[in-house]
Amino acid sequence: MSRELRFGLIGAGFMGKAHALALHSVGATFGLDTRPVADMIATSSDASAAAAAKRLGFARHTGDWRQLVTDPDIDVVTVCAPLPHREMVLEAIANGKHVLCEKPLASTTDEAKEMQTAAEQAGVVCMVGLNYPKTPASQFARQLIADGALGEIVSLRCVHVEDFLADPNLPIDWRMRQAEAGEAGALGDLGSHCIGMSHWLLGPIREVMAETRIVHTQRPDPDSGEHVAVENDDQAELLVRFENGVTGSLYVSRVGTGHKMGLSYEVVGTEGTIVFDQERLSEIQFYSRQDDPRTQGFRRIPIGPAHPDYGDFCPAPGHGTGYNDTITVEVRDMIAAITGDTADLWPDFADAVYVHRVIDAALESVKAGRWCKVG
Amino acid sequence: MSRELRFGLIGAGFMGKAHALALHSVGATFGLDTRPVADMIATSSDASAAAAAKRLGFARHTGDWRQLVTDPDIDVVTVCAPLPHREMVLEAIANGKHVLCEKPLASTTDEAKEMQTAAEQAGVVCMVGLNYPKTPASQFARQLIADGALGEIVSLRCVHVEDFLADPNLPIDWRMRQAEAGEAGALGDLGSHCIGMSHWLLGPIREVMAETRIVHTQRPDPDSGEHVAVENDDQAELLVRFENGVTGSLYVSRVGTGHKMGLSYEVVGTEGTIVFDQERLSEIQFYSRQDDPRTQGFRRIPIGPAHPDYGDFCPAPGHGTGYNDTITVEVRDMIAAITGDTADLWPDFADAVYVHRVIDAALESVKAGRWCKVG
Amino acid sequence: MSRELRFGLIGAGFMGKAHALALHSVGATFGLDTRPVADMIATSSDASAAAAAKRLGFARHTGDWRQLVTDPDIDVVTVCAPLPHREMVLEAIANGKHVLCEKPLASTTDEAKEMQTAAEQAGVVCMVGLNYPKTPASQFARQLIADGALGEIVSLRCVHVEDFLADPNLPIDWRMRQAEAGEAGALGDLGSHCIGMSHWLLGPIREVMAETRIVHTQRPDPDSGEHVAVENDDQAELLVRFENGVTGSLYVSRVGTGHKMGLSYEVVGTEGTIVFDQERLSEIQFYSRQDDPRTQGFRRIPIGPAHPDYGDFCPAPGHGTGYNDTITVEVRDMIAAITGDTADLWPDFADAVYVHRVIDAALESVKAGRWCKVG
Amino acid sequence: MSRELRFGLIGAGFMGKAHALALHSVGATFGLDTRPVADMIATSSDASAAAAAKRLGFARHTGDWRQLVTDPDIDVVTVCAPLPHREMVLEAIANGKHVLCEKPLASTTDEAKEMQTAAEQAGVVCMVGLNYPKTPASQFARQLIADGALGEIVSLRCVHVEDFLADPNLPIDWRMRQAEAGEAGALGDLGSHCIGMSHWLLGPIREVMAETRIVHTQRPDPDSGEHVAVENDDQAELLVRFENGVTGSLYVSRVGTGHKMGLSYEVVGTEGTIVFDQERLSEIQFYSRQDDPRTQGFRRIPIGPAHPDYGDFCPAPGHGTGYNDTITVEVRDMIAAITGDTADLWPDFADAVYVHRVIDAALESVKAGRWCKVG
């Protein structure tokens, strides 16, 4: 018999809307026995929450997130509010809720660790929203690696470049202040995606060597117009050594002129190579040394029902999934972990703590000018 | 004040599921005042309908589509059943329902015309599911053309190639029999997309010159295994002359080895050119003669909030929409036509009749070996 | 023992220079036993010929091509002068010279036929400069087709689009006047490349159905500035039926905004498909239905020593050959035919006549509005 | 009045042939007043030299390179022999010859410095064969940077990956032994191209942080078949800081499965970005923030006469130059430096020494695990 999971959503911005759409779609997409219900939404005021509930299709709303996390009918809390998340997450856990929290989980590792511990002690399912590995192509990439289609892996290069701060005249905001966003800028915001993706594909990093740079050192204050200091990095580049011996690099930038959703990677193995670019999320390139020498080349593989999860969105190949579909897969994974249909949720809060630790090691490396171990 | 539109869906296959997902998503995606309700689903038996209702999230179900089209609470009927659609559509119209019918509307032009007439007499909103022009990139292409960014249009070449019948050992099915699918094979199935897309971009075709071919003339009967004749074309190529004087060509194939969702077009103008490929639906290429000679080249434009409808799916550029998002746009257009928020629904049943007439003219041209006017 | 072949070159423009470079390179490139000597160059005056000889590295020069074609030391005459070529070619043949004549061979089929007959009666080697099939990638494409890698061929689509006349303000020139260029505009100039390439890949065309259009019907006279009529087509599109039963299409344009060297083709077979674009001449795409379903996709194959002729230019793959290298291959083929190292020269004057006949059939089809057989 | 430069070429392998072809082509390509003469070739024996002279078109030959470098008629010595080059280069300089030496100039920095000093003292023109920056696209890239089209440069990422040693069963050769190839493997062989290219585009590197790895630690001895140790790196990754403040990275691999001529770079600036890939040497991608927001995207610019040097190879855009054409440009630069037509030869032996010093700093950094300054 089917049952319901009642979701409470905190936040109605970019990611809040994406999660709302996923809640409405995931049941029909995957034919789930356990259906999510878009029950309550919380924003910063009753009025905005009422509007959000109507717009995004929630039954109930509140201007006080505490009411949401303590509501006895809520099973799962999805946190899409801006940082800090700590209090929301801990209160939700304390009330026995499962928690799906958008990235970054925290602005410090200690805070993330505190949430991980709370989640483990409470025995609730907790997930962080590093969604890109859920795209069918990147699920397939992981399969190819696991199947040995690439042979022994010898290199990974992962990049996440965007240009949302390329314009030097854009005013400063919370992302560029240490008090709010933490010490890491692009390294934290986009680096978490690279670190997450490389973890998904190859497992944990053992040590890093990093370089960061603030490209636009000053930006206008939105109120006064005066130029004030940008407090964290616009771009970062990391050499990394994985625990399995693979070496590679990560590169991130929020001033990468021309790149919009520039999360890409190349994984080179002794027998084959994979190349993926999130701006073309419905295809992946694969080269195999086993092909006949005359016809060896990178194959552009359009994602289809032969690949993970795609067939649940569309039975015909090459039609393409989109960004919101990836969030739908993420919510499916969360539900499966809650219902016990998977014992292997990725990424949980322990994975989020790992991401923070890699960033810490990178920041330490920048200061020390040498390789630093991930804590 | 917001109100509801109660949808009844006939069919639970490929397109049925896509429409179910669109019904669940469209309200939150576009923040609609008028919300669709996934009310009732009909399939060929009570048991399968009950399962479909549970799987796809419908409140009610029936094994008899007549019950659905006569139900007083249903406002809109979406027809995703296999051909023939005629009786379903006419009954729905007769009961005052608005109708969104998947393509092809009919297997003959007379049938399509009959439905168009019924819709017009009843004053209900009727739409046919030629969805690809709803993709943000193709909406943007139309804008660029209308804005004059291409200057005077001098050529259109539109292609829809897939390879779902490339394997000669695949058994025969209804698509390859004239009694069920009509006289046109790929010309009808895929040609309708090319004809629809070219209509969206450049308006109606005046006359055509066509060539068709059955590549695999015989296929095994799925039951007996005996080889029986394929009765309609595997590929077709049309020279076309538009009413506005532009010339061009359409090419379709269901045996186009290697192509999965190969709907693509190039529109050449005196000042610029557009190239689009549905397998990369979230980007479009544009060349402008106005660029500096040293830096002229086709620009690969990642679709983003600067382009039609994309921002309702995602506020950040380059993240990509998928196939199901296109259906969501289609359902939004249907709702807007019903609520009077647009006076310009495309494609309505008149447009569907136009598509049939172009196909008729192509079939006539194949026989006559000369140019034939669209009726 | 090695010997020499003394070349006389008529013309020192675009193609004249390309042939001069090929004469200087071909011996060392292919390690030929028979070496070409850049002996004499003829242009329209002694002064310009002297300058050309110095610039392009010829031992002798003349302002009178008759002196060149009658010079007893000249073995081979390369005609790179503007049309008409008839007198030069016939005189050269009459003097026992082998002739390599740039395309188009003639402005009428009768003229081309006259030259073919003269060549055959004189027993000299005569070639026409349709060079693009000599590019290693297109040689490889032909091999793949011949080897059966594509199975049975079901479709060819070949395009040659450039934009050198896209600007409507460009003055009229000889290319746009029937008296000089013939009745066919882009159809003759670029169509000959499409017809030649399709002949190389699939053999002769049996019948055609064509459509042409003059996009810019008037252009300024370069002297008076007055607008005068353009007399032949800016673009043309042909449906074609090959003698082997394959159907396809050819499309050419000299107003194809954005395209510079847009000769491309797709050959679809029951087992595989090839896609090639001359703007990326050092790669070819190949799809095989035999690949594992999970990893099927178009392979981008960088041309290398595993492919025809490439290894003579460079022993390492992916380094790329250029346009002039293709002319070098052409001259190598000419020399091999003269020395008897190949019995299978392509394209000889009979092939040139074939090209003219396809164009004639296309022009006839445009007027008749129906399929016309190639004479 | 024109004059001649008599070239002596040592070596008749890959690069020897490329230089022979360039000598035959460069005069006619660029219409040079000073013509190179392919005078003498030296290989390791009289017999092989005689064969090479005949094959590659040299007037004289010798089995002893000392005879070539001391021949009074030789003006320029091109060294294409395997390492070591030291003695050949120093003897040629001592005899007053200009020297064009293929990379790597030396196996140690001291050796390279010795040659640089000798060249400067003798006042002869000396060049090292880092040819890729001579490709028209990369010349154009440098122009765009210099013109400010990219604004302030914020990042360079340059990669040179090939897969010629991807197969673990390939036997060991000189490249993998320190005694012959030096301490640096891919870092030296391919790294020199990345270091050279980045120098061409952005000027000198100030300090580096490097990581190297031997992927296939043992390979069969070609004679005994026994597995012996590979002595230098298969891949290397460098973080770099340029003297002008730009940061970036270099990545090289000789086991980069799937890559054949994988020299590529991306240069990001505050106003624009350039992307180039040597496997598609006749195009470059450029993005400008100044484009209209609706039509911003990376432009694929086909190289043509609007770009450096291309017009000398072909007057029509998009036709493509090849690898050997790049060598032709290199030889043109060498001749121009000798004739005094340029005062700005790049890369001379000082540039070669710089490349060695960056490699030294990288090797030091690998050992020290920290940033190291370029000497």
Side-chain angles (χ1 to χ4, degrees):
Chain A
M1 208 203 81
S2 72
R3 67 180 187 101
E4 290 180 348
L5 277 174
R6 309 194 76 79
F7 276 69
L9 174 65
I10 307 176
F14 180 167
M15 293 313 301
K17 181 171 178 178
H19 277 276
L21 289 170
L23 291 175
H24 295 313
S25 300
V26 65
T29 300
F30 292 102
L32 298 182
D33 277 334
T34 300
R35 291 296 162 119
V37 176
D39 187 3
M40 188 187 292
I41 190 164
T43 68
S44 53
S45 75
D46 279 335
S48 74
K54 186 181 158 197
R55 196 172 65 246
L56 297 179
F58 281 74
R60 300 187 289 159
H61 63 270
T62 172
D64 176 8
W65 62 262
R66 285 170 205 279
Q67 189 180 335
L68 186 150
V69 301
T70 55
D71 187 284
D73 288 343
I74 296 292
D75 301 306
V76 190
V77 174
T78 301
V79 180
C80 295
L83 283 172
H85 296 150
R86 179 183 170 278
E87 211 178 348
M88 295 169 184
V89 169
L90 291 178
E91 286 287 317
I93 292 171
N95 282 278
K97 313 303 185 195
H98 306 292
V99 179
L100 169 42
C101 183
E102 261 311 306
K103 52 91 32 185
L105 181 55
S107 43
T108 70
T109 307
D110 283 349
E111 230 180 66
K113 187 79 187 80
E114 184 185 8
M115 292 185 244
Q116 179 197 353
T117 304
E120 287 170 2
Q121 288 175 349
V124 292
V125 172
C126 285
M127 185 184 199
V128 68
L130 293 167
N131 58 75
Y132 296 110
K134 310 291 184 184
T135 301
S138 288
Q139 292 192 59
F140 177 52
R142 193 190 202 208
Q143 276 187 358
L144 282 174
I145 294 168
D147 292 354
L150 274 64
E152 181 199 347
I153 306 304
V154 304
S155 167
L156 170 140
R157 288 166 56 79
C158 184
V159 168
H160 193 151
V161 284
E162 302 197 6
D163 68 357
F164 59 87
L165 292 182
D167 184 346
N169 299 318
L170 286 174
I172 201 158
D173 69 20
W174 69 270
R175 276 187 196 79
M176 293 166 260
R177 291 194 201 98
Q178 292 210 6
E180 287 150 279
E183 200 177 339
L187 174 60
D189 182 17
L190 304 178
S192 59
H193 289 301
C194 280
I195 297 164
M197 185 64 88
S198 68
H199 186 262
W200 172 252
L201 295 170
L202 295 189
I205 291 168
R206 196 182 65 222
E207 51 188 332
V208 305
M209 171 72 216
E211 165 87 335
T212 60
R213 186 171 167 215
I214 305 179
V215 169
H216 300 302
T217 54
Q218 296 206 320
R219 287 186 181 271
D221 182 278
D223 300 319
S224 69
E226 281 177 64
H227 275 66
V228 297
V230 169
E231 297 176 1
N232 55 27
D233 59 273
D234 286 326
Q235 61 183 30
E237 184 133 15
L238 283 70
L239 303 182
V240 298
R241 294 171 180 155
F242 288 85
E243 290 195 358
N244 64 9
V246 175
T247 55
S249 69
L250 312 180
Y251 170 65
V252 298
S253 175
R254 60 192 185 191
V255 297
T257 305
H259 295 287
K260 308 305 173 188
M261 209 309 111
L263 173 58
S264 65
Y265 54 80
E266 169 160 326
V267 183
V268 179
T270 52
E271 296 301 319
T273 291
I274 286 171
V275 177
F276 174 74
D277 177 357
Q278 190 75 31
E279 284 195 8
R280 288 174 166 170
L281 76 164
S282 293
E283 65 188 56
I284 195 163
Q285 293 186 68
F286 171 60
Y287 179 100
S288 173
R289 284 216 302 122
Q290 321 235 320
D291 286 343
D292 177 85
R294 282 201 319 166
T295 54
Q296 283 181 339
F298 277 94
R299 303 174 187 188
R300 181 171 71 81
I301 304 171
I303 298 301
H307 308 118
D309 282 340
Y310 177 91
D312 287 301
F313 291 95
C314 181
H319 283 54
T321 61
Y323 176 70
N324 291 326
D325 297 327
T326 304
I327 309 300
T328 301
V329 175
E330 179 180 83
V331 172
R332 190 272 322 267
D333 284 356
M334 179 74 186
I335 293 170
I338 293 170
T339 57
D341 291 316
T342 178
D344 192 27
L345 179 67
W346 188 95
D348 63 16
F349 279 9
D351 299 316
V353 169
Y354 158 80
V355 170
H356 275 281
R357 283 181 166 150
V358 176
I359 293 169
D360 287 348
L363 290 169
E364 184 193 349
S365 170
V366 170
K367 284 169 201 150
R370 57 168 173 73
W371 287 90
C372 290
K373 290 218 185 311
V374 175
Chain B
M1 209 203 82
S2 72
R3 67 182 186 98
E4 290 181 347
L5 278 175
R6 309 193 77 80
F7 276 69
L9 174 65
I10 308 177
F14 181 167
M15 293 313 301
K17 180 171 180 178
H19 277 276
L21 289 170
L23 291 175
H24 296 314
S25 300
V26 66
T29 300
F30 292 102
L32 299 181
D33 277 334
T34 300
R35 291 296 163 119
V37 175
D39 187 4
M40 189 187 290
I41 190 164
T43 67
S44 54
S45 75
D46 280 334
S48 74
K54 184 181 161 198
R55 197 172 67 245
L56 298 179
F58 282 74
R60 301 187 289 159
H61 64 269
T62 173
D64 176 8
W65 61 263
R66 286 170 204 278
Q67 187 180 337
L68 185 150
V69 300
T70 55
D71 187 284
D73 287 342
I74 296 291
D75 301 305
V76 190
V77 174
T78 302
V79 180
C80 296
L83 282 171
H85 296 150
R86 179 183 169 279
E87 210 178 349
M88 294 170 184
V89 168
L90 291 178
E91 286 286 319
I93 291 172
N95 283 277
K97 313 303 186 195
H98 306 292
V99 178
L100 170 41
C101 182
E102 261 312 306
K103 52 95 24 187
L105 180 57
S107 44
T108 72
T109 306
D110 284 348
E111 228 179 67
K113 187 77 188 80
E114 183 185 9
M115 292 186 244
Q116 179 197 352
T117 303
E120 286 170 3
Q121 288 175 348
V124 292
V125 173
C126 285
M127 186 183 197
V128 68
L130 294 167
N131 59 76
Y132 296 111
K134 311 291 184 186
T135 301
S138 288
Q139 292 193 59
F140 177 52
R142 194 192 200 206
Q143 277 187 358
L144 282 174
I145 293 168
D147 292 354
L150 275 63
E152 183 199 346
I153 305 305
V154 304
S155 167
L156 170 140
R157 288 166 55 79
C158 184
V159 167
H160 194 149
V161 283
E162 301 196 7
D163 69 357
F164 58 89
L165 292 182
D167 184 347
N169 299 318
L170 286 175
I172 203 159
D173 69 22
W174 67 272
R175 279 186 195 79
M176 292 167 261
R177 291 195 199 98
Q178 292 210 6
E180 286 150 281
E183 199 177 340
L187 173 60
D189 182 17
L190 304 177
S192 60
H193 288 302
C194 281
I195 296 164
M197 185 64 89
S198 68
H199 186 262
W200 172 252
L201 296 170
L202 295 188
I205 291 167
R206 196 182 63 223
E207 51 189 332
V208 306
M209 172 72 215
E211 165 87 336
T212 60
R213 185 171 168 215
I214 305 177
V215 169
H216 300 301
T217 52
Q218 296 206 319
R219 287 185 180 273
D221 182 278
D223 300 321
S224 70
E226 282 177 63
H227 275 65
V228 296
V230 170
E231 296 175 359
N232 54 27
D233 58 275
D234 285 326
Q235 61 184 29
E237 184 134 17
L238 283 69
L239 303 182
V240 298
R241 294 170 181 157
F242 288 85
E243 290 195 357
N244 64 8
V246 175
T247 54
S249 70
L250 312 180
Y251 170 65
V252 298
S253 175
R254 60 192 185 191
V255 296
T257 307
H259 296 286
K260 306 306 172 187
M261 209 308 113
L263 173 58
S264 65
Y265 54 81
E266 169 161 324
V267 184
V268 179
T270 53
E271 296 301 318
T273 291
I274 286 171
V275 177
F276 174 74
D277 177 357
Q278 189 76 32
E279 284 195 9
R280 288 173 167 172
L281 76 162
S282 293
E283 65 189 56
I284 193 163
Q285 293 186 68
F286 171 59
Y287 178 100
S288 173
R289 284 215 303 122
Q290 321 233 323
D291 286 343
D292 177 85
R294 281 200 319 166
T295 54
Q296 283 180 338
F298 277 94
R299 302 174 187 187
R300 182 172 69 83
I301 303 171
I303 298 301
H307 308 117
D309 283 341
Y310 177 91
D312 288 301
F313 291 96
C314 181
H319 283 55
T321 61
Y323 176 70
N324 290 327
D325 297 327
T326 303
I327 309 299
T328 300
V329 175
E330 179 180 83
V331 171
R332 190 273 321 267
D333 284 355
M334 179 73 186
I335 293 171
I338 294 170
T339 57
D341 291 317
T342 179
D344 192 28
L345 180 67
W346 188 96
D348 62 17
F349 279 9
D351 299 317
V353 169
Y354 158 79
V355 170
H356 276 281
R357 283 182 166 149
V358 177
I359 294 168
D360 287 348
L363 291 168
E364 184 192 348
S365 170
V366 169
K367 284 169 202 151
R370 58 168 172 74
W371 287 90
C372 291
K373 291 219 184 309
V374 175
Chain C
M1 207 204 82
S2 73
R3 66 180 186 99
E4 289 181 349
L5 277 175
R6 310 193 76 78
F7 276 69
L9 174 65
I10 307 176
F14 180 169
M15 293 313 301
K17 181 171 179 178
H19 278 277
L21 290 170
L23 291 175
H24 295 314
S25 300
V26 66
T29 300
F30 292 101
L32 298 181
D33 277 336
T34 299
R35 292 297 163 119
V37 175
D39 188 3
M40 188 187 291
I41 190 164
T43 68
S44 54
S45 75
D46 280 336
S48 73
K54 185 182 159 196
R55 196 172 67 246
L56 298 179
F58 281 74
R60 300 186 290 159
H61 64 269
T62 172
D64 176 9
W65 62 262
R66 286 170 205 278
Q67 188 179 337
L68 185 150
V69 301
T70 54
D71 187 283
D73 287 344
I74 296 292
D75 301 305
V76 189
V77 175
T78 302
V79 180
C80 296
L83 283 173
H85 296 150
R86 177 183 171 279
E87 210 178 349
M88 295 169 183
V89 168
L90 292 178
E91 287 286 319
I93 292 171
N95 282 277
K97 313 303 186 197
H98 306 292
V99 179
L100 169 42
C101 183
E102 261 312 306
K103 52 91 30 183
L105 181 55
S107 42
T108 70
T109 305
D110 284 348
E111 229 180 67
K113 187 78 188 80
E114 183 185 9
M115 293 186 243
Q116 179 197 352
T117 304
E120 287 171 3
Q121 287 174 349
V124 292
V125 172
C126 285
M127 185 185 200
V128 68
L130 294 167
N131 59 76
Y132 296 111
K134 310 291 185 185
T135 301
S138 288
Q139 292 192 60
F140 177 51
R142 193 192 202 205
Q143 276 187 358
L144 282 174
I145 294 168
D147 292 355
L150 274 63
E152 182 200 346
I153 305 304
V154 303
S155 166
L156 170 140
R157 289 167 55 79
C158 184
V159 167
H160 193 150
V161 283
E162 301 197 6
D163 68 358
F164 58 87
L165 291 182
D167 184 348
N169 299 317
L170 286 174
I172 201 158
D173 70 20
W174 69 271
R175 276 186 196 80
M176 293 166 260
R177 292 195 198 95
Q178 292 211 6
E180 288 150 277
E183 199 178 339
L187 174 61
D189 183 15
L190 305 177
S192 59
H193 289 302
C194 280
I195 297 164
M197 185 64 87
S198 68
H199 185 262
W200 173 252
L201 296 170
L202 295 188
I205 291 168
R206 197 183 63 222
E207 50 189 333
V208 305
M209 171 72 216
E211 165 87 336
T212 59
R213 184 169 168 218
I214 304 179
V215 169
H216 300 301
T217 54
Q218 295 206 318
R219 287 184 180 272
D221 182 278
D223 300 322
S224 69
E226 280 177 64
H227 274 66
V228 296
V230 170
E231 297 176 1
N232 54 27
D233 58 273
D234 286 326
Q235 62 184 29
E237 184 132 18
L238 283 69
L239 303 183
V240 298
R241 294 172 180 156
F242 288 85
E243 290 195 357
N244 64 10
V246 175
T247 55
S249 70
L250 313 180
Y251 170 66
V252 297
S253 174
R254 60 192 184 190
V255 297
T257 306
H259 296 287
K260 307 307 172 186
M261 208 311 112
L263 174 57
S264 66
Y265 54 80
E266 169 160 326
V267 183
V268 179
T270 52
E271 295 301 318
T273 291
I274 286 172
V275 177
F276 174 74
D277 176 358
Q278 190 76 30
E279 284 195 8
R280 288 173 166 171
L281 75 164
S282 294
E283 65 188 56
I284 195 163
Q285 293 185 68
F286 171 60
Y287 179 100
S288 173
R289 284 216 301 124
Q290 321 233 320
D291 286 342
D292 177 86
R294 281 201 319 166
T295 55
Q296 283 181 338
F298 276 94
R299 303 174 186 189
R300 181 171 71 82
I301 303 171
I303 298 301
H307 308 118
D309 283 341
Y310 177 93
D312 288 300
F313 291 95
C314 181
H319 284 53
T321 61
Y323 176 71
N324 290 326
D325 297 327
T326 304
I327 310 299
T328 301
V329 175
E330 179 180 82
V331 172
R332 189 272 322 266
D333 284 356
M334 179 74 186
I335 294 170
I338 294 169
T339 58
D341 290 317
T342 178
D344 191 27
L345 180 67
W346 188 96
D348 63 17
F349 279 8
D351 299 316
V353 169
Y354 159 80
V355 170
H356 276 281
R357 283 182 165 149
V358 176
I359 293 169
D360 288 348
L363 290 169
E364 185 193 349
S365 169
V366 170
K367 283 168 202 152
R370 57 167 174 72
W371 287 89
C372 291
K373 290 216 183 312
V374 175
Chain D
M1 208 203 82
S2 72
R3 66 180 186 98
E4 290 181 349
L5 277 175
R6 307 194 77 80
F7 276 69
L9 173 65
I10 307 176
F14 180 168
M15 293 312 301
K17 181 172 179 179
H19 277 276
L21 289 170
L23 292 175
H24 295 315
S25 300
V26 65
T29 300
F30 292 101
L32 299 181
D33 277 334
T34 300
R35 292 297 162 118
V37 175
D39 187 4
M40 188 188 291
I41 190 164
T43 68
S44 54
S45 75
D46 280 335
S48 74
K54 185 183 160 197
R55 196 171 67 245
L56 298 179
F58 281 73
R60 301 186 289 159
H61 63 269
T62 173
D64 177 8
W65 61 263
R66 286 169 204 277
Q67 189 180 336
L68 184 150
V69 300
T70 56
D71 186 284
D73 287 342
I74 296 291
D75 301 304
V76 190
V77 174
T78 301
V79 181
C80 295
L83 282 172
H85 296 150
R86 178 184 170 279
E87 209 177 350
M88 295 169 183
V89 169
L90 291 177
E91 286 286 319
I93 291 172
N95 282 276
K97 313 303 187 196
H98 306 293
V99 178
L100 170 41
C101 182
E102 261 312 306
K103 52 97 18 188
L105 181 56
S107 44
T108 72
T109 306
D110 284 348
E111 228 180 67
K113 186 78 187 82
E114 183 186 9
M115 292 185 244
Q116 179 197 352
T117 303
E120 287 170 2
Q121 288 174 349
V124 292
V125 173
C126 285
M127 186 183 198
V128 68
L130 293 166
N131 59 76
Y132 296 111
K134 310 290 184 186
T135 301
S138 288
Q139 292 192 60
F140 177 51
R142 193 191 201 207
Q143 277 187 358
L144 282 174
I145 293 168
D147 292 355
L150 276 62
E152 183 200 345
I153 306 304
V154 304
S155 168
L156 170 141
R157 289 166 55 80
C158 184
V159 167
H160 194 149
V161 283
E162 301 197 6
D163 69 357
F164 58 89
L165 292 182
D167 183 348
N169 298 318
L170 286 174
I172 202 158
D173 68 22
W174 67 273
R175 279 186 195 79
M176 293 166 262
R177 291 194 200 98
Q178 292 211 5
E180 286 150 279
E183 200 177 338
L187 174 61
D189 183 15
L190 304 177
S192 60
H193 288 302
C194 280
I195 296 164
M197 185 64 87
S198 67
H199 186 262
W200 172 252
L201 295 171
L202 295 189
I205 291 167
R206 197 182 63 224
E207 51 189 331
V208 306
M209 172 72 217
E211 165 88 335
T212 59
R213 185 170 168 217
I214 305 177
V215 169
H216 300 302
T217 53
Q218 296 207 319
R219 287 184 180 273
D221 182 278
D223 300 320
S224 70
E226 281 176 63
H227 274 65
V228 297
V230 169
E231 297 175 1
N232 54 27
D233 57 274
D234 285 326
Q235 61 184 30
E237 184 133 17
L238 284 69
L239 303 183
V240 297
R241 294 171 180 156
F242 288 85
E243 290 195 358
N244 63 11
V246 175
T247 54
S249 69
L250 312 180
Y251 170 66
V252 298
S253 174
R254 60 192 185 191
V255 296
T257 306
H259 297 286
K260 306 306 172 187
M261 209 308 113
L263 174 57
S264 65
Y265 55 80
E266 169 161 324
V267 183
V268 180
T270 52
E271 296 300 318
T273 291
I274 286 171
V275 176
F276 174 74
D277 176 358
Q278 189 76 31
E279 283 194 8
R280 288 173 166 171
L281 76 162
S282 293
E283 66 189 54
I284 193 163
Q285 293 186 68
F286 171 59
Y287 178 101
S288 173
R289 283 215 303 123
Q290 321 234 321
D291 286 343
D292 177 85
R294 281 200 320 166
T295 54
Q296 283 180 338
F298 276 94
R299 302 173 187 188
R300 182 172 70 83
I301 303 171
I303 297 301
H307 307 118
D309 283 341
Y310 177 92
D312 288 301
F313 291 96
C314 181
H319 283 54
T321 61
Y323 176 71
N324 291 327
D325 297 326
T326 303
I327 309 299
T328 300
V329 176
E330 178 179 83
V331 172
R332 189 272 320 266
D333 285 354
M334 179 74 186
I335 292 171
I338 293 169
T339 58
D341 291 317
T342 179
D344 193 28
L345 180 68
W346 188 95
D348 63 17
F349 279 10
D351 299 316
V353 169
Y354 158 79
V355 170
H356 276 282
R357 283 183 166 149
V358 176
I359 294 169
D360 287 348
L363 291 168
E364 185 193 348
S365 169
V366 169
K367 284 168 201 151
R370 57 168 172 73
W371 287 89
C372 291
K373 290 216 183 312
V374 175

